Amino acid sequence: MNSTAYLIRFKREKRIFTFIVEKLFLFCAFVSVLSVALITFFMFYSGLPGLVEIGFIEFVFGTDWSPVYADGGFGILPMILGSIYATFGAIALGVPIGLYTAVMLSRLAPSWLVSILRPAVELMAGIPSVVYGFFGLMIIVPFIQKTFNLPMGQSLLSAICILSFMILPTVITISSNAISSVPKEYTEASLALGATKMQTIFKVELPAAKSGILSGIILGIGRAIGETMAVIMVAGNIPFMPKGIFIIFRTLTGN
């Protein structure tokens, strides 16, 4: 009788505990969504009077940004294009390097090398943005200036290079974990059918891990398009229309 009562009490307490935990998680999710919604509402509400006065078309597609003057323009198209060009340039340069590095860490490198490189890659993710920016300002910008004989090394190319470095830890870590999580049966079946190790990696394992790899790329895009400090230091921070990779520009986040 006592054991039955204890079991009933235990089940009741378990249901109560589960109910409380579920509601707590629901509350946390609600707070997260509400926070984003409030930030979005605040930004649109605060900017709506100016947006109405300027005009949406002029604001988004205008090419002149000079708000300090009485008759200045408020066009943000150069900053929008600058953010897009810098982000996709960094993705085009950084994703192949990151993906091949992930393949090496998860499938090709010996364990002693992985034990050295993996902590180094993870350490890169913890470096502050201003350190990347300072590195770019002291190393990449002078290198580009001397190599291409430019009056200034701060340019779209400098921003692409520094953003490529910054997205590498995200792409490498997530892609490596995705490749490592591919079931061994896939690899063994491919090798048993006569495929080489490299064919197995690129024809079987990478397609099987594409969802995780794509997640890493998307997070890398978020890191690149949202970066501010490092890009300001290497891009010149002048709202010119980015018509070439050697043009000084400004990103939307920097502006």
Side-chain angles (χ1 to χ4, degrees):
M1 186 66 180
N2 292 335
S3 60
T4 303
Y6 175 78
L7 182 61
I8 295 174
R9 179 182 177 185
F10 174 77
K11 289 182 178 180
R12 184 172 63 252
E13 292 178 352
K14 184 178 179 181
R15 286 196 301 269
I16 295 174
F17 177 76
T18 303
F19 176 80
I20 294 174
V21 171
E22 288 178 353
K23 297 307 178 183
L24 178 62
F25 288 169
L26 178 62
F27 174 75
C28 293
F30 175 77
V31 170
S32 300
V33 175
L34 181 62
S35 300
V36 175
L38 288 176
I39 292 172
T40 305
F41 173 77
F42 170 77
M43 292 177 62
F44 277 95
Y45 179 78
S46 300
L48 188 60
L51 186 61
V52 171
E53 182 177 350
I54 297 167
F56 179 79
I57 301 298
E58 177 63 25
F59 180 69
V60 175
F61 297 101
T63 59
D64 176 37
W65 179 263
S66 52
V68 295
Y69 301 104
D71 56 347
F74 292 88
I76 64 171
L77 183 61
M79 281 81 77
I80 294 176
L81 293 179
S83 296
I84 294 174
Y85 292 163
T87 299
F88 283 96
I91 293 301
L93 183 61
V95 167
I97 298 174
L99 183 57
Y100 293 147
T101 304
V103 170
M104 186 211 44
L105 289 177
S106 58
R107 287 294 184 261
L108 301 176
S111 57
W112 65 267
L113 185 59
V114 174
S115 64
I116 296 174
L117 293 181
R118 192 178 294 275
V121 171
E122 295 173 353
L123 183 63
M124 288 178 61
I127 298 177
S129 299
V130 66
V131 176
Y132 280 108
F134 185 73
F135 170 78
L137 187 63
M138 294 292 102
I139 303 299
I140 296 178
V141 169
F143 175 78
I144 291 177
Q145 182 179 4
K146 294 178 181 179
T147 302
F148 298 99
N149 194 22
L150 300 173
M152 293 182 63
Q154 292 158 317
S155 62
L156 177 59
L157 180 59
S158 302
I160 289 174
C161 291
I162 200 65
L163 287 176
S164 301
F165 281 112
M166 298 183 70
I167 68 172
L168 282 179
T170 302
V171 176
I172 293 172
T173 302
I174 298 179
S175 298
S176 178
N177 293 336
I179 296 171
S180 299
S181 64
V182 174
K184 293 183 179 180
E185 290 79 3
Y186 290 11
T187 304
E188 293 172 353
S190 177
L191 295 174
L193 290 173
T196 64
K197 188 172 184 178
M198 298 306 296
Q199 288 175 332
T200 300
I201 291 174
F202 287 98
K203 296 295 183 64
V204 176
E205 294 180 345
L206 289 186
K210 63 181 179 181
S211 61
I213 295 173
L214 184 60
S215 300
I217 294 174
I218 292 174
L219 290 175
I221 292 175
R223 175 75 189 274
I225 202 169
E227 182 52 46
T228 302
M229 181 58 67
V231 177
I232 286 178
M233 297 176 70
V234 301
N237 202 34
I238 299 177
F240 291 157
M241 183 67 73
K243 297 181 179 179
I245 60 174
F246 301 120
I247 299 297
I248 295 174
F249 78 108
R250 179 187 293 176
T251 61
L252 193 60
T253 52
N255 193 66

